[in-house]
Amino acid sequence: IRDQVVTGVQTCALPIFCQSSVNKPNDKMDFIGFISIDGTSDTIGSLPMNNDFPGNVPIKSKTGKIVAFNWDELMGPPLNSTLASLDVLAGGTTWWSGGKNGGDAYNTCDGFVDGTSFHDGRYGSADSTTDWVELAPQSCSNLRYYLCLAF
């Protein structure tokens, strides 16, 4: 699932954004934001244990292409293909991750509540297999996509 992020998104609002997305799969009931919000407990790496996400199943794009065969493979870059080639995001697209490859938080726009240029946020690239989570930091005043997991 992908959608435009609005500045000032709080972690509790992300499942609502994910569930209301026009890009979501119709056969899934639970949705979580694929984003790190803080460095302690709300990170991409902690999503499975914090949200009862099954870590032993394949992660697929909406079109059914396999992004990774399980959570560990997803967290251990490089990916086998780019998010663009897997129909997750269009080529040339970037998305807010707030984290590093492997799932740790890093540059989170102050918990993604700061939409100004005062803080930086880490973003990933749809065109990279190695920097798909942590391409670079940039001002939090920029709009980017965010990713969701549906299960």
Side-chain angles (χ1 to χ4, degrees), residues 35 55 65 107 136:
I35 192 168
K65 293 181 179 179
N107 295 121

Side-chain angles (χ1 to χ4, degrees), residues 1 4 12 23 36 81 84 100 111 126 149:
I1 297 176
Q4 285 288 344
C12 60
N23 297 307
S36 290
S81 299
K100 294 181 172 187
L149 293 172

Side-chain angles (χ1 to χ4, degrees), residues 26 81 130:
N26 295 323
S81 299
T130 55

Side-chain angles (χ1 to χ4, degrees), residues 45-96:
S46 66
L47 288 176
M49 66 187 152
N50 289 349
N51 297 280
D52 294 325
F53 181 81
N56 59 345
V57 298
I59 292 88
K60 299 178 182 179
S61 69
K62 184 179 176 184
T63 60
K65 293 181 179 179
I66 294 178
V67 177
F69 286 99
N70 57 48
W71 186 261
D72 290 338
E73 183 178 289
L74 184 69
M75 291 291 95
L79 291 178
N80 290 325
S81 299
T82 66
L83 295 180
S85 67
L86 295 167
D87 302 328
V88 175
L89 291 167
T93 304
T94 56
W95 58 280
W96 287 123

Side-chain angles (χ1 to χ4, degrees), residues 7-22:
T7 55
V9 169
Q10 302 226 351
T11 186
C12 60
L14 282 172
I16 296 166
F17 284 121
C18 295
Q19 189 166 13
S20 63
S21 172
V22 298

